[in-house]
Amino acid sequence: MWIIILLLFAVLLRSMNLSEIIDSLKSITLPLLLLLAGLQLLTQLLLNYQWCHIAGAMGLKAKFWKMFYINCKGTLTEAITPGAKVGGEVVRGYLFKSEFGCSTADAASLVAIQKIISVGSLILLNLIALLFLPASVSFLTPVLKIVLFLVMAAVLILFILLLFRPQILSDKLASYDFKRPILQKLQKGLIEFSEHAQKIRNGKTLLFQLALSVFIWALFPFKLAILAGRYQSGISPLAILGATLTAYFIAMIPVSPGGLGVFEVTLSSLLIMFGLTSEQAVITAVVFRFFTFWFVILYSLAVIFFYDVYHKIKKSRAEKKQSVSVQSVSDS
């Protein structure tokens, strides 16, 4: 698969003009870079707030900056594991258990609920984009469009059932007397997930979470629209929405770490179909990817480093203070 990605990228590069690449790079100003960096930080902070809000609704005590630290570690894991962020979610689940003192079932439920809401919102937006994608997307034949629509609709229905009717599965499993410990844990975990899902559905929590998740995903095509808008190519907002979300959806296929290569080639190809030149499309995709992927990795490393240093210093001071107190007591 890597060979196919490299070949596709090589075809794009061969058709590019060096002078046009330089012109595209020159059009990227410092205020634009700062705006993109600010929007990406806002995206990550909102995502972190979503995790905290879901944890709070479940009855877990989750501090915002500790959750931010955990998410940064999860982000780094996602960057080196292929596909749909499974590696990052495993790390998050482990850290939720160790940092927040919750059970394995609670940690797994938190991860599952956030993933269902987040990916479910992405699928919903993809369904809307699929219906309104421009006819210039030549590879999207009517048959393929119907197949994609049915697959995404089926996954979305599954997520809705898991969130609104988890007791169907948990009640079914509860009727069995499992002997293996791992199956017993799965049975208990699904029962607890059903209870947590009930808490999320109560009141306005779920509605708020869905709106928040849609807004977070909408920030990504907004950033792409800012970049692509510099070329005044007349690409419609729905085309931008479709290109961004389609690229993210395809990048979730477990092919390369963090979807590297898959995302860039997909996004560049779609932008070319929508009217950008090869040079404009590749530069736009690379800059967009830098802020939504590499920039996040860089600040995640910085957050983890300073968070660990701060807590080591704090722990050292507490130990010194305790040592002085013990010494004072012994002297008296």
Side-chain angles (χ1 to χ4, degrees):
M1 191 63 187
W2 269 104
I3 296 173
I4 296 172
I5 294 168
L6 290 172
L7 286 173
L8 289 171
F9 207 71
V11 170
L12 282 173
L13 291 175
R14 283 188 63 185
S15 63
M16 293 170 66
N17 183 286
L18 183 60
S19 61
E20 287 193 33
I21 293 175
I22 294 171
D23 289 338
S24 294
L25 288 171
K26 284 181 178 178
S27 66
I28 301 173
T29 61
L30 180 59
L32 175 62
L33 296 176
L34 292 175
L35 175 61
L36 292 171
L39 286 171
Q40 188 57 42
L41 282 172
L42 173 63
T43 303
Q44 299 305 128
L45 289 171
L46 287 174
L47 189 58
N48 192 69
Y49 174 75
Q50 182 183 51
W51 280 100
C52 288
H53 191 264
I54 294 173
M58 289 172 54
L60 303 177
K61 293 181 179 180
K63 293 182 179 179
F64 185 86
W65 292 112
K66 182 169 282 189
M67 180 69 80
F68 196 65
Y69 170 77
I70 290 172
N71 276 320
C72 285
K73 284 202 166 186
T75 297
L76 291 181
T77 309
E78 289 165 1
I80 59 174
T81 53
K85 304 186 176 184
V86 176
E89 307 308 354
V90 171
V91 169
R92 285 186 179 93
Y94 172 78
L95 290 174
F96 291 155
K97 183 181 176 182
S98 60
E99 296 290 338
F100 299 147
C102 61
S103 66
T104 302
D106 286 339
S109 294
L110 175 56
V111 170
I113 290 171
Q114 194 279 336
K115 180 64 77 175
I116 287 171
I117 292 173
S118 180
V119 178
S121 300
L122 173 61
I123 292 172
L124 180 62
L125 288 171
N126 265 302
L127 285 171
I128 296 170
L130 186 64
L131 290 173
F132 297 100
L133 274 178
S136 54
V137 186
S138 55
F139 71 87
L140 201 59
T141 62
V143 175
L144 180 58
K145 201 171 184 179
I146 291 171
V147 171
L148 289 173
F149 186 88
L150 291 175
V151 170
M152 286 191 287
V155 175
L156 187 60
I157 290 169
L158 175 62
F159 282 173
I160 291 171
L161 287 174
L162 284 171
L163 203 55
F164 286 90
R165 291 290 181 270
Q167 63 271 22
I168 295 174
L169 186 56
S170 61
D171 290 347
K172 186 70 175 175
L173 286 173
S175 64
Y176 292 99
D177 184 21
F178 292 114
K179 302 299 181 183
R180 293 183 180 181
I182 189 169
L183 293 176
Q184 290 174 350
K185 287 182 179 180
L186 177 61
Q187 185 182 48
K188 183 182 177 183
L190 281 168
I191 293 170
E192 291 194 26
F193 172 81
S194 180
E195 294 172 355
H196 289 311
Q198 177 65 43
K199 295 175 185 176
I200 298 298
R201 295 195 306 270
N202 287 339
K204 298 178 181 178
T205 301
L206 181 59
L207 185 62
F208 172 76
Q209 281 296 329
L210 289 172
L212 178 61
S213 194
V214 168
F215 180 75
I216 290 170
W217 279 114
L219 284 173
F220 287 92
F222 180 65
K223 284 172 267 190
L224 183 63
I226 292 173
L227 280 168
R230 297 173 298 124
Y231 302 115
Q232 299 179 344
S233 57
I235 303 178
S236 71
L238 281 172
I240 291 290
L241 175 69
T244 312
L245 300 180
T246 300
Y248 270 107
F249 200 73
I250 292 175
M252 286 186 175
I253 299 171
V255 173
S256 61
L260 281 176
V262 178
F263 180 90
E264 290 81 358
V265 169
T266 302
L267 184 58
S268 298
S269 302
L270 288 170
L271 290 175
I272 291 169
M273 291 179 189
F274 294 151
L276 293 187
T277 65
S278 299
E279 295 81 8
Q280 292 170 345
V282 170
I283 292 299
T284 299
V286 169
V287 173
F288 177 81
R289 187 61 159 164
F290 171 79
F291 282 100
T292 58
F293 185 79
W294 296 108
F295 174 67
V296 177
I297 290 175
L298 290 173
Y299 86 68
S300 292
L301 286 168
V303 168
I304 292 169
F305 173 77
F306 286 110
Y307 188 93
D308 286 340
V309 168
Y310 169 76
H311 280 276
K312 283 180 181 178
I313 293 173
K314 188 178 178 181
K315 184 179 178 182
S316 177
R317 286 178 177 175
E319 289 174 349
K320 285 182 180 179
K321 188 175 180 180
Q322 185 179 12
S323 177
V324 170
S325 298
V326 172
Q327 185 65 37
S328 300
V329 172
S330 63
D331 289 343
S332 60

